[in-house]
Amino acid sequence: MRLTAKGLHAALALIDRVDKVGGVRDMVALAVQVDGWVDHAHAIPLRSGEVHAEPGFPLGVHAATGQALWLLDGARLLVAPGGLDTGAGATAGATAGTDVDATIYDLADAPIPREVIADQLRRGLLAAYVANLDLTDKSGPALQVAVGELLALAGDVEARSRGVLIERLSEAIAAGPADHWAPLVLRIRTGFERALSDRHPPTVEAAVRALVRMAAVGPFPPGEPRAGARILTTLFNFPKSELHAATLAAIGDLDDAALQAMAPTVRPLADAALGSQDPEVRRLASDVELRLRGEGRPGVGEGMLGRSIEEKARQLRALGVDTERLIVLLPRVLEALRDPEESVRRAALEAADPVLSGRVGEPLLRRRVIEVLVESGDPHLLAAGIAAIDHPERPLAEEVALEALRSALDGPVHMRAGVAERLAARYALLPVDRAVDGFESLLRHRDVTVREATLHALAALGAGQVRLRDLLTHAFMEQLRDPQPQARVAAGRAMLAMGFPNAPSIVVQSVVDADARVREGLVEALRSYGDPARLQEAERLARDVDVVCRGTAAVEGDERLRWTAALGDIVERRGPRTVALLLAVLGTIPPEAVDPFLQFAVAEIDRHLIQLASADAGGESVLAMCRRLLEGPTPQPVHAARLAGERVTEDPQAFDFLWTMGTAGLPGHAAAARKALARLTQGTKAPAVMRAIATAYWASGDTAQRDVLRGWYGAVPPLPRG
């Protein structure tokens, strides 16, 4: 190794650029400089027992392929099957020797991914650097200087390099006499702990392994016999589940003697980790607990439940009797609650019952069981979880219960209404500001059964919740426009029950609905409310709407007269739902109807829609009505184009709508738009429409379109200003 710490830092910077960017210039620079970084002094063993003709610098083994990599003089890379058994860059677990059919490439042309070359070269350089420090042979001031240089470098380099340095330093500490390292432990521990904040997971894991090894076998600072316990406790005090998982994995890798020596410290930490929110932490804690019980190496818990469905179910039921073992294997039971086999899930629920009922285990473990149950798609498990939430003798903390019930809202569809009722009952007991947020979230739920159940629960609160009612006004108005009819009815009932100001008038206006179920439901709500005048008004309005909605198929003269009169009455008493009703009725009439009455009905509805748009300056425009006709599962392009055509000679926006529809729309839309645009060939056009035609002319590159536009304009339009 020829590099000083400063030179190594520069070399690592170039390697990092190759790793992240991999440009040709960086690869060439790497090939030019690499011979100056290393000593090609290591013999390369062959499977035959001989050595390769040239010495090299070991870069370890390519993990994905098992190929041994050696750097040769002249920026060349020797690649061969097999691996290494010695050398500064050796990879743990590699097989000895390289094959005789090794291939040599120029470094820049080697068939190895650039990121692999960069990583192996990084590891090789750092391993050689640490080896050159001779840490195991130094002591006193010399060791202090060497460790200070290494820690300073670790603080300056990129995270991946820092991880390698931490690994090598930890190995050197384990190999050297403890009394040499004891005076430096605090400084080294600080360096390891700083790496815990890195964003590179392998580096964090390397730091955790180093700290766990230090906690287990030392060395410890003089006069601090409990330093190891403090190190482990500190690792679990970090509020990061990935650190806890890495710590438990490192503890699980300790040999039996080291683990048992630390049992008084490890056991309470593992017990607490069994209740972690992270399933991986729980699983690793279970493995550590099993190791402490003398039941095997890490991962043994994977085999604690049988392979077959029957064996799994049998062993799960047995855990319900052996409660001490149940706590240790609870993470496996929680996983079994998610098993695809129903019999396994039932057995897991039976096994978890001692924890669920609160007979054994800490409250946090019961909470974890409930969380898994309420997130289940199995109705039986979900019912058990909900029952546990509402247990009168062992209630959950309010926030925990609310969170669990919110998770259950996405469970089986037929159970959502019941969950919503329970949530609403709990929200009603909260301070009003918090209750509003909860109720609004329920009213925004995608499932109409949840929204309907919430509205029923609000109605049950009655007229006493004045502030809650007022804060939910906007949410209620949205529910009156809900796409689902049952939600609209429930909203009207709840507004009456809660005593909203002007609620009877609002409900009467909402009777103007194309869905007969809504009309009937709201009239019945007013009948129960007990306002005879409003009820009479709603009944009359409902009859008129019923006539208009059903009368488009009428053929008798009297029925047609009644339809016309009913439509006039509805429009005369216009409300926020009037336009929606007329558009809905219009959508029921075939676009190309030839029946004289249907043609008359279409003309009447068009006339009333245009009047409503003109009479109400703050209301819905004709163009907005046209766009609504194009929305939904059954677009009505003919009706939309015809309605826009009524305004095309006067309104430039109507022209733009139809022109876009005719030139960029679907074929059916385009044909309807062209028919409506034909009105421009006759009559006087408003100046604003003429300007819109000129703008479209100069924006179009299609000769045929320009000919049509020129005909409507009467000449070649002038170029628009600006």
Side-chain angles (χ1 to χ4, degrees):
M1 176 73 177
R2 303 174 180 178
L3 292 173
T4 63
K6 184 176 180 180
L8 177 61
H9 192 283
L12 292 172
L14 176 57
I15 292 172
D16 292 339
R17 288 201 304 274
V18 170
D19 191 358
K20 295 177 181 177
V21 181
V24 174
R25 181 176 299 177
D26 289 331
M27 282 299 296
V28 171
L30 180 65
V32 169
Q33 297 182 39
V34 70
D35 284 340
W37 297 346
V38 300
D39 292 318
H40 305 92
H42 296 262
I44 304 177
L46 302 176
R47 291 185 185 277
S48 62
E50 300 177 356
V51 296
H52 192 264
E54 294 182 69
F57 181 80
L59 295 184
V61 176
H62 183 193
T65 64
Q67 294 169 310
L69 306 178
W70 288 81
L71 189 63
L72 303 179
D73 191 25
R76 292 171 299 146
L77 188 69
L78 183 146
V79 181
L84 302 170
D85 63 337
T86 60
T91 300
T95 57
T98 62
D99 203 280
V100 293
D101 59 350
T103 306
I104 299 175
Y105 303 91
D106 286 337
L107 185 62
D109 299 327
I112 305 293
R114 58 175 173 76
E115 59 271 18
V116 172
I117 292 176
D119 187 60
Q120 297 297 106
L121 185 55
R122 179 189 297 113
R123 288 181 169 277
L125 289 178
L126 290 168
Y129 164 76
V130 176
N132 283 354
L133 291 176
D134 295 326
L135 296 176
T136 56
D137 296 332
K138 292 179 179 177
S139 62
L143 182 60
Q144 293 181 22
V145 171
V147 169
E149 180 183 322
L150 189 151
L151 292 176
L153 179 63
D156 291 338
V157 296
E158 193 259 353
R160 284 167 293 187
S161 300
R162 183 159 43 253
V164 177
L165 290 173
I166 288 172
E167 290 174 354
R168 297 299 177 179
L169 178 56
S170 179
E171 292 169 0
I173 294 172
D179 59 331
H180 288 186
W181 292 98
L184 302 173
V185 167
L186 292 177
R187 185 178 182 184
I188 294 171
R189 174 183 168 185
T190 300
F192 290 165
E193 289 178 344
R194 285 176 179 168
L196 297 177
S197 60
D198 273 323
R199 296 184 179 180
H200 186 238
T203 297
V204 175
E205 292 168 6
V208 169
R209 286 194 299 271
L211 286 166
V212 169
R213 178 187 288 178
M214 183 180 289
V217 299
F220 304 121
E224 293 194 39
R226 291 189 51 80
R230 278 196 293 273
I231 291 174
L232 291 183
T233 303
T234 299
L235 287 170
F236 280 97
N237 284 339
F238 280 91
K240 296 170 68 175
S241 61
E242 58 268 25
L243 273 184
H244 300 169
T247 302
L248 288 165
I251 291 172
D253 286 336
L254 295 173
D255 60 50
D256 290 337
L259 180 60
Q260 293 302 329
M262 297 182 65
T265 299
V266 170
R267 183 169 282 111
L269 295 174
D271 288 345
L274 288 173
S276 171
Q277 198 167 7
D278 188 328
E280 179 65 16
V281 173
R282 295 198 298 261
R283 188 181 302 111
L284 290 166
S286 176
D287 284 340
V288 169
E289 293 273 12
L290 291 169
R291 287 280 315 284
L292 291 172
R293 291 164 61 99
E295 297 193 30
R297 296 293 301 170
V300 68
E302 300 291 347
M304 283 295 163
L305 301 180
R307 298 291 182 183
S308 69
I309 295 172
E310 295 77 12
E311 184 66 12
K312 279 185 180 180
R314 186 189 66 77
Q315 293 193 20
L316 284 165
R317 292 190 179 94
L319 287 176
V321 179
D322 186 354
T323 55
E324 182 180 349
R325 186 172 175 77
L326 168 63
I327 298 302
V328 173
L329 283 175
L330 187 61
R332 312 296 171 180
V333 177
L334 296 180
E335 292 173 6
L337 288 171
R338 296 188 172 97
D339 196 277
E341 291 294 334
E342 182 179 2
S343 60
V344 175
R345 296 197 301 271
R346 294 291 189 276
L349 179 59
E350 185 178 330
D353 183 67
V355 177
L356 189 62
S357 62
R359 299 197 304 272
V360 299
E362 297 295 325
L364 184 58
L365 298 181
R366 180 171 181 261
R367 173 180 173 180
R368 296 295 174 236
V369 176
I370 292 174
E371 287 172 349
V372 173
L373 292 176
V374 298
E375 292 171 2
S376 173
D378 186 326
H380 188 70
L381 268 60
L382 178 57
I386 293 173
I389 292 173
D390 292 334
H391 197 293
E393 297 179 5
R394 298 179 180 85
L396 290 178
E398 189 63 28
E399 287 302 322
V400 176
L402 289 174
E403 185 61 35
L405 287 171
R406 283 192 284 265
S407 298
L409 275 179
D410 294 322
V413 174
H414 70 279
M415 301 185 70
R416 291 177 184 173
V419 176
E421 291 171 1
R422 285 176 166 81
L423 266 173
R426 289 179 178 270
Y427 286 145
L429 301 176
L430 297 177
V432 173
D433 291 338
R434 293 184 58 203
V436 167
D437 293 338
F439 281 116
E440 286 183 340
S441 68
L442 289 174
L443 292 174
R444 288 193 297 267
H445 197 275
R446 68 183 186 280
D447 191 331
V448 65
T449 61
V450 172
R451 303 196 296 272
E452 186 181 10
T454 304
L455 289 165
H456 289 325
L458 286 166
L461 296 178
Q465 299 282 349
V466 177
R467 187 157 180 265
L468 176 64
R469 176 200 71 192
D470 292 345
L471 291 173
L472 286 174
T473 298
H474 181 70
F476 268 92
M477 299 310 293
E478 287 183 344
Q479 294 306 305
L480 288 174
R481 298 188 295 271
D482 193 284
Q484 300 299 324
Q486 61 266 46
R488 300 201 291 273
V489 174
R493 288 182 178 276
M495 292 188 77
L496 291 171
M498 296 190 76
F500 272 81
N502 301 317
S505 298
I506 294 172
V507 173
V508 169
Q509 292 174 349
S510 299
V511 169
V512 181
D513 196 293
D515 195 302
R517 293 168 295 180
V518 176
R519 300 195 295 271
E520 294 167 3
L522 293 179
V523 168
E524 184 60 32
L526 283 166
R527 185 174 289 113
S528 302
Y529 181 70
D531 187 332
R534 293 299 186 189
L535 174 61
Q536 185 177 8
E537 183 181 357
E539 289 175 334
R540 178 184 172 186
L541 195 54
R543 284 194 297 271
D544 286 343
V545 175
D546 190 63
V547 169
V548 170
C549 289
R550 298 182 183 181
T552 52
V555 293
E556 301 296 331
D558 289 345
E559 292 177 346
R560 295 178 180 183
L561 289 175
R562 280 197 294 272
W563 184 90
T564 305
L567 179 64
D569 288 344
I570 292 171
V571 173
E572 184 178 349
R573 292 179 294 180
R574 63 179 178 271
R577 301 283 301 171
T578 304
V579 170
L581 174 70
L582 297 186
L583 293 175
V585 174
L586 192 60
T588 65
I589 302 175
E592 304 298 340
V594 295
D595 181 271
F597 173 70
L598 293 181
Q599 292 179 344
F600 166 76
V602 168
E604 279 293 284
I605 293 174
D606 284 357
R607 181 174 66 83
H608 284 306
L609 287 172
I610 291 172
Q611 285 180 349
L612 288 170
S614 303
D616 190 355
E620 195 165 4
S621 68
V622 171
L623 265 296
M625 299 175 190
C626 295
R627 293 188 183 96
R628 286 176 64 175
L629 285 167
L630 292 178
E631 296 171 351
T634 55
Q636 301 290 334
V638 174
H639 288 315
R642 186 195 61 257
L643 186 59
E646 296 289 338
R647 299 282 299 165
V648 72
T649 59
E650 304 171 19
D651 187 346
Q653 292 184 351
F655 168 79
D656 289 338
F657 173 80
L658 288 170
W659 181 250
T660 301
M661 189 175 168
T663 57
L666 299 172
H669 294 205
R674 286 194 295 269
K675 184 176 179 180
L677 285 167
R679 289 172 177 258
L680 293 170
T681 60
Q682 307 172 17
T684 305
K685 295 175 277 293
V689 175
M690 295 293 282
R691 289 193 293 272
I693 293 172
T695 300
Y697 177 88
W698 290 105
S700 175
D702 186 281
T703 303
Q705 291 179 8
R706 282 192 161 199
D707 289 343
V708 172
L709 291 163
R710 186 172 61 249
W712 291 337
Y713 198 86
V716 175
L719 187 66
R721 296 178 181 177

